[in-house]
Amino acid sequence: MIVRFAGFGGQGIVVSSYIIGKSAVLDGKKAIQNQAYGSESRGGECRGDVVIANEEIYELEPTNYDVLVAMTQPAYEAFVPLLKPGGTLILDSDLVVTDKKLEPKKIKKHAIPATDIAFKKFGRKIVANMIILGYMNTLLSPVSESALEKAISESVPKGTEKMNLEAMREGIRLAREGKG
Amino acid sequence: MKKHRTSPTTDSRYKPARPFNADEFGRVRRILGGKVLFVQGDAAVAYGALLAGCRFFAGYPITPATETSEILSQLMPRVGGVCIQMEDEIASVGAIIGASRAGVKSMTATSGPGFSLMQENIGYAAMTETPCVIVDVQRSGPSTGQPTEGAQGDIMQAKWGSHGDYELIALSPSTVQECLDLTIEAFNLSETYGIPVILLTDGIIGHMREKVVLPEFEEIELTWRREPTKPKEEFQPFLVDSTKIPEMAIFGTGYHTYITGLTHSETGYPATDSQVDHHRLVQRLCDKIRDNRDRIVQVERDYSDGDKDTIGIVSYGVTSRSVNSAVKMLRQDGLKIDHLRLVTNWPFPEKEVAELSERANRIVVPELNLGQVYHGVREAVAGRSEVIPLWKTGGEMHVPHDIVELVKGGVK
């Protein structure tokens, strides 16, 4: 499974791709993770790619994706045409307006107001990516839930583990309830 | 399908003079975290260096190599080592040569522009037979080029970058795990032969995260330079035995050790007027590597059944990953493909390429430059096979489909 997370610096885009890759390795699968960002560490366009497979991964720079997580309008517009037909698009519904003309055929679309929920429920917009991670993993199961939990706990700043895990569980709940 | 990796471990004649014990190794392992990690190639290089016993790092930040410096600036003090940010790359390689002579395994890491600056002192390390490891995380050049993009443009420079005649060793990892493994190997080779060893990674692997399994102490062999066996009064720093590799006295241990970039005699003192002395010295600098090329050269062969009328592909470094994918597709189409992956770039695996040319009618050489290893392959093949390049620059890897098309006969 090839997943691209895209948005702007500060939304936890790169760390999301890292967490999925690390979870896959904890599950005993193969994974590679890459990122690209501008010279600004916050506010610039950025993306994180992760490839998960049971076999050796030879294509390190995939050009098409099974899943796109778009957290900004420019990210959506730039990368949704690269989604494979039948692929899955997950976006933050408050930050992205979709345009059918840009989209490949038969993609599955899921829109949740992750940033808004993060702010209202946890008082921190920054955990929107954790809501998305929980949501995406429940929808598509690229990694086990236990590995995801462990990877999140080991990857977020000390003292914030509980909030991040709760945000992830919120994402799981939204997916189970069929939201988006 | 035969899959065979020749892996000559470092020569057993050279036992570590100062064994790195299991306790110290275990302490480093614990600092690095669990056994299985998900890290960038640049991090794996830093971890490999610490596990190999490297305790001195000097460097100047440059994309895409900075992470190695950054990580070592945090970890070196925790293992009792030293990490210095120097004023530039010339000073960085100077510092590691000095530190190595002071008895510490030493490394620097840079990218193309910094590697260019280092060339004079790489020649100095070769001339003074000082072990050290230089990591070049290759990016698109020439000059400043594309700082964040990977490339394989420094293969020739790694061998021919400094003036005069000398031999050194250069290795090309193709996975993040190999970034760690070959960093350890680079230290072993530099300590064994008393030379600078170049690790040629690239911006793609340097910045990519992948699974890394840290080795156990028992799983790896670590080598240290040979320290003097003669009494102090008889010791001559460049007097050699049949190995052609001098013993190395550490500065400050009471042995008379004089080193210079000038042509020198066995005493270490300049001897610039004698054609005989110069020829003997430079010939030995080359011979100590050439005589041992079978011990040094590592390749990985993934050959088809049968021994003739195959199609060969020679690859190295990150490009091998695209080739692996292409090989799979081509075999599914029923083609007999022999994939030779060069782990060692220098000394050039001439014999191994020549052997491939006995089997393969055509040999395809994909690389992220406009023709470097291609020339070595052509020389080794000596007209026995058709050698077809597949060159690409600009920061993107080869798409497996392009390799497949070329191998199937499409002319690019």
Side-chain angles (χ1 to χ4, degrees):
Chain A
M1 183 185 288
I2 305 167
V3 186
R4 168 163 284 189
F5 295 85
F8 60 74
Q11 286 182 314
I13 297 294
V14 173
V15 80
S16 298
S17 61
Y18 169 72
I19 285 169
I20 290 289
K22 185 168 175 162
S23 308
V25 166
L26 289 172
D27 278 339
K29 291 182 181 163
K30 309 281 182 195
I32 61 158
Q33 181 269 345
N34 264 312
Q35 63 276 306
Y37 43 86
S39 47
E40 321 88 333
S41 61
R42 289 189 175 78
E45 283 175 26
C46 97
R47 58 185 158 84
D49 294 343
V50 61
V51 182
I52 302 163
N54 292 318
E55 295 176 352
E56 292 294 336
I57 298 165
Y58 298 136
E59 285 179 67
L60 309 184
E61 295 179 340
T63 44
N64 296 98
Y65 304 88
D66 299 302
V67 184
L68 171 68
V69 175
M71 298 287 281
T72 61
Q73 189 67 27
Y76 165 78
E77 287 173 8
F79 303 125
V80 81
L82 303 176
L83 203 52
K84 288 182 190 171
T88 302
L89 169 69
I90 297 172
L91 47 84
D92 190 310
S93 52
D94 286 340
L95 301 176
V96 178
V97 180
T98 60
D99 176 356
K100 203 134 180 76
K101 288 199 290 289
L102 294 172
E103 295 171 358
K105 287 180 186 134
K106 290 182 182 163
I107 61 169
K108 301 171 205 72
K109 273 192 260 189
H110 300 274
I112 53 167
T115 308
D116 191 50
I117 297 169
F119 185 65
K120 286 188 178 144
K121 206 145 191 171
F122 302 97
R124 297 290 304 274
K125 284 184 190 174
I126 202 164
V127 297
N129 63 334
M130 296 294 149
I131 299 176
I132 294 270
L133 279 176
Y135 185 83
M136 184 195 82
N137 200 51
T138 307
L139 216 58
L140 305 165
S141 319
V143 298
S144 73
E145 212 170 289
S146 58
L148 184 62
E149 271 187 28
K150 188 163 191 281
I152 289 175
S153 308
E154 290 176 2
S155 310
V156 299
K158 289 243 177 313
T160 69
E161 295 91 338
K162 195 162 164 272
M163 180 177 62
N164 279 291
L165 288 172
E166 277 172 15
M168 178 203 82
R169 286 186 198 110
E170 178 66 17
I172 294 174
R173 196 181 62 76
L174 292 169
R176 288 201 179 131
E177 289 175 3
K179 295 275 165 58
Chain B
M1 240 71 85
K2 284 174 279 182
K3 199 155 190 171
H4 175 62
R5 166 94 178 259
T6 57
S7 182
T9 48
T10 314
D11 199 330
S12 58
R13 282 178 296 174
Y14 311 109
K15 290 291 175 209
R18 234 154 4 97
F20 187 50
N21 66 35
D23 287 350
E24 194 177 348
F25 188 89
R27 202 159 58 82
V28 177
R29 276 275 313 262
R30 282 192 294 281
I31 289 170
L32 300 182
K35 184 167 175 64
V36 179
L37 307 172
F38 187 60
V39 294
Q40 292 185 325
D42 284 354
V45 166
Y47 297 171
L50 294 177
L51 292 171
C54 171
R55 291 296 176 267
F56 184 88
F57 179 91
Y60 186 81
I62 184 169
T63 302
T66 303
E67 286 80 358
T68 304
S69 303
E70 187 186 349
I71 290 167
L72 288 174
S73 72
Q74 292 159 0
L75 297 183
M76 268 300 183
R78 297 180 62 190
V79 300
V82 172
C83 178
I84 309 179
Q85 180 177 325
M86 299 301 292
E87 66 268 34
D88 60 26
E89 290 86 350
I90 302 173
S92 300
V93 67
I96 67 165
I97 290 168
S100 178
R101 282 280 155 187
V104 184
K105 285 187 179 179
S106 307
M107 181 173 89
T108 185
T110 188
S111 186
F115 192 53
S116 295
L117 286 175
M118 290 183 179
Q119 293 306 324
E120 184 186 2
N121 269 341
I122 289 173
Y124 184 78
M127 187 63 149
T128 59
E129 303 182 59
T130 305
C132 55
V133 173
I134 294 135
V135 182
D136 177 15
V137 189
Q138 298 168 90
R139 73 188 211 190
S140 302
S143 190
T144 317
Q146 294 172 296
T148 61
E149 305 290 354
Q152 295 181 307
D154 306 350
I155 310 298
M156 284 299 191
Q157 191 188 17
K159 171 65 183 77
W160 306 107
S162 206
H163 53 281
D165 293 291
Y166 61 98
E167 291 280 349
L168 51 62
I169 296 171
L171 308 170
S172 279
S174 70
T175 63
V176 174
Q177 179 73 51
E178 257 190 357
C179 286
L180 184 137
D181 297 344
L182 292 182
T183 300
I184 296 172
E185 181 77 6
F187 275 101
N188 285 345
L189 291 166
S190 76
E191 293 285 319
T192 301
Y193 297 106
I195 50 161
V197 174
I198 318 288
L199 187 74
L200 291 166
T201 75
D202 61 79
I204 300 164
I205 285 199
H207 277 171
M208 186 180 79
R209 286 188 178 82
E210 203 170 16
K211 178 177 156 181
V212 163
V213 181
L214 297 181
E216 302 293 337
F217 185 67
E218 302 74 33
E219 288 167 356
I220 55 170
E221 192 180 348
L222 296 175
T223 308
W224 260 261
R225 71 279 309 266
R226 290 197 298 168
E227 287 180 14
T229 49
K230 286 202 167 74
K232 284 175 183 158
E233 54 278 9
E234 287 173 34
F235 180 74
Q236 291 190 29
F238 294 96
L239 190 66
V240 294
D241 54 20
S242 61
T243 66
K244 301 182 183 172
I245 304 160
E247 294 171 346
M248 185 173 160
I250 305 306
F251 281 168
T253 54
Y255 287 86
H256 180 82
T257 300
Y258 183 96
I259 66 165
T260 172
L262 289 165
T263 296
H264 42 271
S265 68
E266 282 77 8
T267 61
Y269 289 125
T272 55
D273 296 335
S274 160
Q275 182 272 329
V276 175
D277 280 347
H278 182 83
H279 187 80
R280 190 172 58 205
L281 172 61
V282 175
Q283 185 74 55
R284 182 176 65 72
L285 293 181
C286 292
D287 284 350
K288 68 177 179 176
I289 303 305
R290 291 176 186 170
D291 291 355
N292 289 298
R293 62 87 58 206
D294 285 348
R295 288 192 181 91
I296 295 166
V297 171
Q298 288 192 51
V299 296
E300 192 174 85
R301 296 183 184 88
D302 180 10
Y303 284 4
S304 54
D305 299 325
D307 57 7
K308 59 175 196 206
D309 298 330
T310 65
I311 299 166
I313 305 178
V314 174
S315 77
Y316 58 94
V318 70
T319 300
S320 303
R321 303 287 285 265
S322 302
V323 171
N324 282 335
S325 182
V327 167
K328 217 169 138 184
M329 294 181 204
L330 287 161
R331 285 189 180 144
Q332 277 165 3
D333 290 347
L335 279 97
K336 280 163 68 175
I337 305 293
D338 290 344
H339 180 198
L340 178 68
R341 178 166 78 90
L342 313 182
V343 178
T344 308
N345 275 108
W346 301 107
F348 190 74
E350 202 174 321
K351 198 167 89 183
E352 291 73 9
V353 173
E355 281 165 12
L356 174 64
S357 72
E358 303 287 347
R359 305 165 50 92
N361 300 329
R362 320 170 67 203
I363 297 177
V364 173
V365 188
E367 45 186 337
L368 295 175
N369 56 48
L370 297 183
Q372 300 207 10
V373 162
Y374 166 71
H375 295 288
V377 171
R378 245 173 28 145
E379 195 177 309
V381 163
R384 282 183 296 265
S385 318
E386 187 189 359
V387 182
I388 305 158
L390 183 58
W391 298 331
K392 188 167 186 174
T393 64
E396 284 173 12
M397 290 177 66
H398 290 89
V399 181
H401 181 75
D402 292 346
I403 302 169
V404 169
E405 286 300 299
L406 185 71
V407 169
K408 281 183 167 173
V411 178
K412 292 268 153 181

